[in-house]
Amino acid sequence: MSTFNSSEVAISTFFLIGIPGLEHAHIWVSIPICLTYLIAILGNSTILFFIKTEPSLHEPMYYFLSMLALSDLGLSLSSLPTMLRIFLFNAPEISPDACITQEFFIHGFSAMESSVLLIMSFDRFIAICNPLRYTSILSSARVTKIGLAFSLKNVLLILPFPVTLKYLKYCKKNLLSHSYCLHQDVMKLACSDNRVNVIYGLFVALTGILDLTFIFVSYVLILKAVLSIASQRERRKVLNTCISHICAVLIFYVPIMSLAVIYRSAKHSSPIIRILMADVFLLVPPLMNPIVYCVKSQQIRNLVLGKLCQKHG
């Protein structure tokens, strides 16, 4: 139902968008999307199961990996309802309250993923540059405190998004640009002053850039330590422990940076490319991170293969 406020009709429904021009094929597009969600949820749940049940994985590196898997699960489950509604049931409508709730969880879990990737870079730095003190510096209690501190920091960081969006008036436009709700997308629909949202959105984006900067600095220091190792074989062995994390960083940040570039050149870029890149940002990290860690981590790979052999045996 529409309500009236200051002689203007307040929007009571937003409309999400699938892939423009391919509405007739949405049911077919839903097949790879559903498969992606299924693999992502199973993959991250498997990693969490093994880390919880296997004593050999009760190490700081794997605790941080479980935080990454939780962030990926949260990201997948946050976007799943609207993606399925659009592509499976052709139902793009969403209430403003549901939209604002969704964008809080999507931004919250994205911020958490960025923080976890930063923590994991520090983990690799300590493991390589100070291996003798690794377990004493990153004790189980300290890992728990780090995880809780960063979770609280991200909740407080993202909480102003839904609060400020709730106070905006929506009275003219109601068509969003993606298959899920994002802060920058919702605030553009407002017919009241959204400068606070713009400024705070830039501040949150800067915290993400800061995370990436610290990750880069960690790897500069790691590289410096690795180059001081005389044996080439040892160098390769040490660097190999970082490959999974480097892949996770690239999988997460490359789509975000590509999306930012596309938005900067919005006049010259196709809306379909923007929508597809936004979907890649949301779908690919939760899908690829479990695959990367299962392939590159020998302990996890052996456990997964061991379980599969037991079932076939």
Side-chain angles (χ1 to χ4, degrees):
M1 288 287 291
S2 294
T3 58
F4 287 87
N5 192 356
S6 306
S7 305
E8 291 177 321
V9 179
I11 298 295
S12 61
T13 306
F14 292 152
F15 289 90
L16 297 159
I17 196 167
I19 301 174
L22 288 177
E23 287 84 359
H24 62 283
H26 274 180
I27 191 70
W28 299 109
V29 175
S30 71
I31 296 169
I33 287 174
C34 288
L35 280 173
T36 300
Y37 275 116
L38 184 64
I39 295 166
I41 291 166
L42 283 174
N44 286 294
S45 299
T46 301
I47 282 179
L48 286 169
F49 170 76
F50 281 124
I51 291 171
K52 183 174 171 54
T53 57
E54 290 294 330
S56 62
L57 299 182
H58 292 177
E59 296 174 14
M61 183 176 85
Y62 294 108
Y63 291 143
F64 294 135
L65 177 56
S66 69
M67 291 179 202
L68 186 68
L70 276 172
S71 302
D72 282 334
L73 265 179
L75 208 51
S76 293
L77 295 173
S78 299
S79 61
L80 181 65
T82 53
M83 294 282 268
L84 291 188
R85 273 170 59 84
I86 290 166
F87 291 104
L88 266 182
F89 306 111
N90 195 29
E93 308 88 0
I94 187 168
S95 70
D97 285 345
C99 190
I100 289 168
T101 302
Q102 186 186 49
E103 65 83 30
F104 169 72
F105 283 108
I106 288 175
H107 286 291
F109 284 116
S110 296
M112 192 61 206
E113 182 136 353
S114 180
S115 294
V116 172
L117 290 170
L118 171 62
I119 299 165
M120 291 173 92
S121 72
F122 288 155
D123 168 77
R124 291 298 83 212
F125 169 72
I126 295 165
I128 290 165
C129 300
N130 206 344
L132 297 177
R133 294 190 59 212
Y134 176 67
T135 49
S136 61
I137 292 171
L138 292 175
S139 62
S140 295
R142 195 164 287 165
V143 167
T144 304
K145 285 175 187 174
I146 290 168
L148 290 172
F150 273 92
S151 298
L152 181 62
K153 168 253 186 189
N154 288 312
V155 169
L156 295 175
L157 179 71
I158 302 300
L159 197 57
F161 276 178
V163 173
T164 53
L165 286 176
K166 188 76 177 163
Y167 280 98
L168 294 177
K169 291 176 185 173
Y170 307 95
C171 51
K172 291 175 186 175
K173 297 179 284 184
N174 64 355
L175 183 63
L176 293 158
S177 309
H178 301 298
S179 310
Y180 50 88
C181 297
L182 292 175
H183 173 259
Q184 60 269 34
D185 208 13
V186 177
M187 73 177 184
K188 286 177 185 175
L189 300 184
C191 53
S192 54
D193 188 0
N194 65 2
R195 276 178 294 183
V196 171
N197 300 75
V198 172
I199 293 163
Y200 193 72
L202 284 171
F203 170 72
V204 172
L206 283 172
T207 63
I209 293 168
L210 205 60
D211 285 349
L212 186 57
T213 304
F214 281 126
I215 290 168
F216 179 75
V217 170
S218 296
Y219 273 100
V220 168
L221 296 171
I222 286 168
L223 199 59
K224 189 179 173 186
V226 169
L227 291 173
S228 66
I229 300 170
S231 166
Q232 199 168 354
R233 187 182 171 186
E234 282 299 310
R235 279 186 205 171
R236 274 202 300 270
K237 189 178 175 183
V238 170
L239 281 174
N240 200 43
T241 63
C242 300
I243 288 174
S244 299
H245 179 253
I246 292 168
C247 288
V249 169
L250 292 173
I251 287 164
F252 182 72
Y253 280 105
V254 168
I256 291 178
M257 291 166 79
S258 304
L259 197 57
V261 170
I262 288 167
Y263 267 100
R264 290 288 293 175
S265 57
K267 291 177 184 177
H268 311 289
S269 64
S270 161
I272 294 177
I273 291 173
R274 288 204 300 273
I275 289 163
L276 289 175
M277 190 54 70
D279 289 345
V280 164
F281 151 66
L282 210 63
L283 293 171
V284 170
L287 170 72
M288 290 305 299
N289 284 337
I291 295 170
V292 166
Y293 276 94
C294 283
V295 169
K296 291 304 299 176
S297 170
Q298 193 175 355
Q299 278 176 283
I300 293 175
R301 188 173 69 243
N302 289 345
L303 286 167
V304 171
L305 291 172
K307 289 284 180 186
L308 289 172
C309 290
Q310 276 180 15
K311 284 184 179 180
H312 288 297

